[in-house]
Amino acid sequence: MIISGNDDASINGVKFTTTHKLKWSITREWHDEFEESIIFDDSDADSLTSPHNDALVITLRILDTDVKCIMVDDGSGACIIHPRVLTQMRLKDKIVSRCIRLTGFNNAAKRTSGEITLPVLADCVTLETTFHIMDQATAYNTIVGQPWIHPMRVIPSRLYQAIKLPTP
């Protein structure tokens, strides 16, 4: 969040200090068509040991399998899956041959070996998601990025180690 030079400012008619504006941006997300805002609070952190610097890692149902060690990366412009997951799910023959180049934050370019579209279930909502296949050494089975986060309207919180979806 970029904040102007003023120490105090107004958002929707409410005066906030810089600290409050930052807290607001981290803990709330408003969607016009939903009646309630999404709020993370201390009850969401009951089982956490704080402070922590952990990545947000979750389990999602992909196709008919609960896949663990999925990193939620809201800075990623792609969803990535490791080929070992597809082998375990017996989906190697469903891979579409498509090679694209992905560039990381350090400008290192890596090529994918294919892609596959799979249904991903979160909180009773299913989204057909295209995963790019990369055989790189990683602790994660899958990385879900903006192509999954935005259409699902998921609000991730690394601080609370949780994701929340709006309820209509």
Side-chain angles (χ1 to χ4, degrees), residues 19-160:
T19 304
H20 287 112
K21 284 190 286 186
L22 183 59
K23 183 177 179 183
W24 179 271
S25 72
I26 290 172
T27 60
R28 293 179 177 259
E29 180 75 18
W30 181 260
H31 296 286
D32 290 337
E33 62 269 15
F34 299 106
E35 294 180 11
E36 297 181 20
S37 59
I38 292 175
I39 301 170
F40 291 93
D41 58 32
D42 291 340
S43 67
D44 293 308
D46 285 343
S47 63
L48 293 177
T49 303
S50 292
H52 69 82
N53 291 312
D54 301 332
L56 177 53
V57 180
I58 62 173
T59 298
L60 290 172
R61 189 163 219 23
I62 300 177
L63 194 58
D64 58 356
T65 305
D66 288 333
V67 178
K68 298 178 181 181
C69 290
I70 297 175
M71 184 174 87
V72 179
D73 182 3
D74 57 351
S76 176
C79 294
I80 299 166
I81 194 164
H82 198 280
R84 71 175 169 261
V85 177
L86 300 174
T87 300
Q88 290 174 356
M89 293 174 74
R90 296 184 178 99
L91 294 173
K92 290 288 261 188
D93 59 330
K94 304 290 185 199
I95 296 172
V96 175
S97 181
R98 182 162 184 240
C99 180
I100 64 168
R101 190 167 87 168
L102 298 176
T103 304
F105 70 92
N106 61 354
N107 274 341
K110 302 288 182 185
R111 293 203 174 271
T112 63
S113 60
E115 70 181 26
I116 189 166
T117 301
L118 299 169
V120 178
L121 175 69
D123 197 31
C124 299
V125 178
T126 302
L127 178 69
E128 291 288 320
T129 305
T130 299
F131 291 94
H132 299 281
I133 301 157
M134 288 189 72
D135 192 1
Q136 298 290 314
T138 177
Y140 309 110
N141 291 320
T142 304
I143 298 172
V144 290
Q146 294 169 5
W148 180 79
I149 294 169
H150 292 179
M152 285 292 289
R153 303 194 92 149
V154 166
I155 308 303
S157 173
R158 286 191 268 322
L159 177 62
Y160 292 104

